[in-house]
Amino acid sequence: MIPFMHYQHPHMLAESTAPNLANIMNKENAVKPPPPSMAAKRRTRVKGSSSVSITGNTPTFIAQQAAVRHSRRSHSPVPFGADLDNVGARMSHTATPSQSSSEPMVTFRLPTSVPRPRNMPIVTSQMLEELDSELAGVPVQYIKDQLLSMREMLLRGLAAVDTSSASLPPTGMPREVRLKTKPSQRPPTHLFCVVNEKTGQGHLYPFHALVLVAHCATLPEIPTDISVMDAKDPGYLNLRVVGLSVPHLESFHLLFDYFYTKNFARFLAELISLPSSALPATSQKLTPDEKTEYVIRALSQTFTTGALVERLRFIHGLWCNVVKLGIHEEGVWKVMNTAWQIMVAALRASTAHLQPSTPQPPANHQ
């Protein structure tokens, strides 16, 4: 039987440096809405988009941008976010163009919400049974609820493992890695070697197999043989290695943390990354909509246009991971949508002064 889970990524147990947006956004942990109809899903997929104008540098910039868009269009796995890749990589992060700039405008379209692909695979009870035969017929949601009730124990198990003690070969992926550990009730069962599928860079993530399998429908095969204490040295744990390639390595730790903690507010705060100093204290009692506008205004006044575009690219990278791993967790999609909508609104607000003014007809004089 696969025991309930363990891992320590540097991000896992540290307090978030981003502000707690629970008080700002008045959000609670994932509230599960009723499943949308097929017609609603179709509407969501093609829902209207928002146009945002960004000032470019020169006509050459525009030509280069068009060439890059054309070269990537034929083999891009997902169209969502393509304009962010083309424009964001060339945006300056040091200054926002002034109103008097005579440089040309570059307009690109952003969806008003993150699209949810049809026919994504879902986690089934059979997947859990393949991991542990004693889980046959147990509902997936029941497993998730039980894991959440054990989160403190599981997190302590993750914190007990020292990934810096890993000795890795210069090339190739080992079958097993020996890690220094402290005694814990729920040590990790396996070790992820999570690698960026484009750059080859990666990180080690000790994990509990059941936590990841309960949330991700398209994981690579996870061996049923689990971690064991080193017979010669009980201060070390031998962990089976599982390779995992992801489109966006930088955002994987956010998903990993959320699977264990279901901390909606921290997840959202990490995605928005608004410094506490950018939110002046207010004694006013604001409605949820007013609080949202408060955050949007603070973002647009704190970050340059280029920095906002980069944050949208980060959210898009997270979305790529979610789609690839087959994650249907409603809390994850709710956080992504909320963060995306806030950042798009902030980008629109930050570039509003760059839009060309509409000529007004002359007044009629008698």
Side-chain angles (χ1 to χ4, degrees):
M1 177 179 177
I2 297 287
F4 280 85
M5 318 24 54
H6 170 210
Y7 160 63
Q8 172 63 19
H9 181 275
H11 228 77
M12 279 292 300
L13 298 178
E15 290 295 325
S16 173
T17 55
N20 185 343
L21 293 189
N23 298 327
I24 302 168
M25 302 299 299
N26 198 27
K27 300 288 185 182
E28 295 181 351
N29 283 0
V31 176
K32 296 179 175 57
S37 64
M38 289 304 295
K41 288 181 179 179
R42 286 193 293 270
R43 287 195 298 272
T44 300
R45 188 173 178 82
V46 298
K47 197 170 181 180
S49 57
S50 159
S51 291
V52 181
S53 293
I54 308 287
T55 297
N57 292 327
T58 64
T60 302
F61 166 83
I62 301 174
Q64 290 173 339
Q65 180 182 314
V68 171
R69 186 181 300 116
H70 176 76
S71 66
R72 294 183 179 179
R73 187 175 296 143
S74 60
H75 59 271
S76 177
V78 285
F80 170 56
D83 276 350
L84 291 175
D85 285 337
N86 300 333
V87 176
R90 293 168 172 78
M91 287 297 298
S92 168
H93 289 228
T94 58
T96 300
S98 64
Q99 270 185 308
S100 61
S101 174
S102 61
E103 294 173 348
M105 303 296 290
V106 177
T107 300
F108 60 99
R109 300 182 69 81
L110 297 174
T112 54
S113 62
V114 293
R116 194 162 184 169
R118 302 188 189 113
N119 303 320
M120 279 179 62
I122 62 172
V123 176
T124 64
S125 296
Q126 183 180 356
M127 293 178 183
L128 300 175
E129 182 182 353
E130 290 173 358
L131 189 66
D132 184 345
S133 60
E134 294 191 19
L135 297 177
V138 180
V140 175
Q141 188 56 52
Y142 176 81
I143 296 295
K144 289 182 177 180
D145 293 343
Q146 292 301 304
L147 291 170
L148 185 59
S149 70
M150 299 171 63
R151 62 185 168 189
E152 295 302 325
M153 185 187 304
L154 299 176
L155 290 173
R156 284 195 296 270
L158 295 179
V161 174
D162 179 12
T163 55
S164 66
S165 65
S167 178
L168 300 175
T171 58
M173 187 176 297
R175 179 180 183 277
E176 189 175 88
V177 170
R178 183 171 178 261
L179 295 178
K180 186 180 292 186
T181 185
K182 297 176 182 178
S184 63
Q185 290 179 287
R186 300 296 181 185
T189 60
H190 298 78
L191 179 68
F192 263 145
C193 182
V194 184
V195 178
N196 184 298
E197 60 189 24
K198 293 181 180 179
T199 67
Q201 295 179 327
H203 292 297
L204 296 178
Y205 284 82
F207 70 99
H208 300 93
L210 193 53
V211 173
L212 273 293
V213 173
H215 291 89
C216 305
T218 53
L219 288 174
E221 183 178 356
I222 296 179
T224 55
D225 50 331
I226 61 172
S227 63
V228 293
M229 298 300 292
D230 192 304
K232 297 179 180 179
D233 189 344
Y236 284 83
L237 192 66
N238 295 317
L239 288 166
R240 277 295 303 272
V241 176
V242 179
L244 177 66
S245 65
V246 295
H248 195 251
L249 181 65
E250 296 81 357
S251 62
F252 180 80
H253 73 274
L254 297 180
L255 291 171
F256 192 86
D257 178 82
Y258 187 78
F259 293 156
Y260 278 90
T261 67
K262 300 298 172 69
N263 191 323
F264 186 101
R266 182 164 68 192
F267 194 0
L268 181 60
E270 290 280 358
L271 278 183
I272 292 176
S273 293
L274 182 63
S276 300
S277 59
L279 288 168
T282 176
S283 59
Q284 299 179 13
K285 194 169 184 179
L286 304 176
T287 67
D289 287 344
E290 289 172 334
K291 292 174 184 176
T292 301
E293 289 301 319
Y294 189 61
V295 173
I296 291 170
R297 185 165 61 252
L299 284 165
S300 67
Q301 294 172 352
T302 302
F303 296 111
T304 65
T305 299
L308 293 173
V309 169
E310 282 301 307
R311 208 60 205 164
L312 283 168
R313 293 179 69 201
F314 185 94
I315 299 172
H316 171 253
L318 174 70
W319 176 86
C320 289
N321 287 345
V322 169
V323 172
K324 177 165 183 177
L325 297 176
I327 299 171
H328 278 268
E329 183 76 19
E330 289 301 328
V332 171
W333 286 93
K334 185 176 180 180
V335 168
M336 283 197 301
N337 259 317
T338 301
W340 181 266
Q341 291 166 359
I342 288 174
M343 298 307 295
V344 168
L347 181 60
R348 185 186 296 113
S350 74
T351 58
H353 71 284
L354 303 176
Q355 306 297 329
S357 58
T358 303
Q360 298 295 321
N364 292 325
H365 297 284
Q366 299 295 334

